[in-house]
Amino acid sequence: MTDWKLSIADEIVANNHTGKGVALAAFFMGSMGLIAATLSACMVVFIAPPAEASGLPQLIVYMAEAELMEERKALELGNRLLEFRVVLVKIFALTLACFSGLAIGREGPAVHIGAGFGWIVAKCVISDVEKHGVVRPGDPDHPLAVTEGGLVHTLVVAGGAAGFAAAFNAPLGGMLYMLEEIALPSGWSARATRGSFVAAASAVLIVKGVLQLAWSDSSVSYNSIVIFEKGTSIDTLGWSFSDIIPFLLLGALCGVVSGIATHLGLMMQKYRKSAAWRVESNWKKVVEISLVALATSVIFTILPAMYRVCVDVPADGDDDTNR
């Protein structure tokens, strides 16, 4: 979808070599971003509010609080934060948000979606167990109880680990992330370790298999299940010691810019929490997201036009008139 949008923008600019082409491309990109972001925000705000943000706060609340609840209250909390409607809305809303041009991180949404599928599987299993009379509501060993080593705890943790592993191509990373960031308050068991590792490893292999079927490309294979693959060693990059000083200066500059951006972000967050900005309206949230997506799309369409088109540098001995 994004490639289609960008190809149309490129075609508009190519067919209009003046500023008019850039203006038309910016209008097209802004319109697409505005429509997609509006639809994404409406889905979250009006259909499944728990699908908002990264999803990690919702998951942490569920894992920490459900352990202290009676099983039926834990079921209600899980249905509110991890039900199928929330997962489905999050998937489509994220797709539209990425298409709109907004910067969306993979970590939180992938974990939330994976944990949601784990919760859905656990709920189906529990319903079947109760149907056959193996356990009854109110039993102390009821599998709905989110306790260390319990069925729900294990499947939710395994689902989150699988989501992280699929997003970052890191099976062990998925298990360790769930241990460190999500499940630690509610405890960790050997069962959770086994379940999360098997789920994470399976997710990576399945993703690799699907990608290999979709694209017959040697760069997508079962041999590349780690982030740093063959061919990316420092020996193949071609650098010299004289490059160190510019990179040190670049790193310092990026650190300064990052600090300024963080400070501005905190100021904006503080202002958004103030009474001058706060309006208890769902439509306000939609408008805010839509305007941000519109501005992002227009800015990142105009910025490339401020620079010359890149051309290949001829090899030594060739005509270098266009160098």
Side-chain angles (χ1 to χ4, degrees):
M1 292 173 62
T2 303
D3 289 341
W4 168 79
K5 181 180 69 171
L6 294 176
S7 64
I8 292 181
D10 288 338
E11 185 176 349
I12 293 174
V13 174
N15 294 334
N16 299 272
H17 298 288
T18 62
K20 180 182 177 181
V22 177
L24 290 175
F27 176 79
F28 170 75
M29 294 287 286
S31 300
M32 291 292 100
L34 181 65
I35 294 172
T38 301
L39 291 175
S40 176
C42 286
M43 291 177 65
V44 174
V45 171
F46 298 108
I47 299 178
E52 66 179 0
S54 68
L56 294 181
Q58 296 91 310
L59 185 56
I60 292 173
V61 166
Y62 173 73
M63 296 295 290
E65 294 189 7
E67 183 182 10
L68 307 176
M69 295 178 175
E70 184 263 342
E71 63 265 13
R72 286 303 157 188
K73 292 184 178 180
L75 175 62
E76 294 174 1
L77 181 63
N79 281 336
R80 188 166 71 251
L81 300 180
L82 300 172
E83 65 174 335
F84 182 71
R85 181 181 60 176
V86 174
V87 175
L88 194 64
V89 166
K90 199 172 192 75
I91 292 174
F92 283 102
L94 282 172
T95 302
L96 290 171
C98 290
F99 177 74
S100 71
L102 293 173
I104 307 295
R106 296 177 292 174
E107 178 181 321
V111 173
H112 190 196
I113 292 172
F117 278 113
W119 161 257
I120 294 168
V121 173
K123 188 178 175 183
C124 293
V125 173
I126 290 165
S127 176
D128 187 66
V129 168
E130 285 189 349
K131 181 179 179 181
H132 291 84
V134 179
V135 295
R136 296 185 301 276
D139 287 350
D141 295 330
H142 196 284
L144 266 175
V146 187
T147 56
E148 180 180 341
L151 177 63
V152 174
H153 182 279
T154 301
L155 289 177
V156 170
V157 167
F164 185 96
F168 288 92
N169 210 15
L172 288 177
M175 181 183 68
L176 294 176
Y177 181 85
M178 291 301 295
L179 167 63
E180 180 182 359
E181 299 290 339
I182 306 298
L184 198 57
S186 59
W188 190 267
S189 64
R191 186 179 184 183
T193 301
R194 295 191 299 269
S196 59
F197 177 75
V198 171
S202 301
V204 171
L205 292 175
I206 291 173
V207 169
K208 287 294 181 181
V210 172
L211 292 177
Q212 194 168 18
L213 290 174
W215 291 283
S216 300
D217 190 335
S218 59
S219 64
V220 180
S221 66
Y222 285 103
N223 297 327
S224 57
I225 58 174
V226 293
I227 295 177
F228 300 103
E229 301 171 7
K230 182 179 179 181
T232 58
S233 66
I234 196 170
D235 296 331
T236 64
L237 299 179
W239 67 282
S240 63
F241 284 101
S242 61
D243 296 329
I244 295 179
I245 294 179
F247 274 98
L248 289 176
L249 295 175
L250 179 62
L253 177 62
C254 289
V256 172
V257 173
S258 176
I260 295 174
T262 301
H263 183 68
L264 293 176
L266 292 175
M267 291 176 58
M268 185 62 185
Q269 184 182 30
K270 183 178 180 180
Y271 177 71
R272 291 179 71 250
K273 292 181 179 179
S274 65
W277 180 275
R278 187 179 303 166
V279 178
E280 297 300 331
S281 171
N282 289 332
W283 283 110
K284 174 184 171 296
K285 299 178 182 179
V286 175
V287 171
E288 183 180 6
I289 294 298
S290 301
L291 292 178
V292 171
L294 174 62
T296 302
S297 299
V298 172
I299 290 173
F300 281 95
T301 304
I302 296 177
L303 279 180
M306 298 172 61
Y307 303 93
R308 297 179 60 184
V309 178
C310 297
V311 296
D312 294 333
V313 176
D316 294 338
D318 295 339
D319 183 12
D320 59 353
T321 56
N322 294 322
R323 187 182 295 270

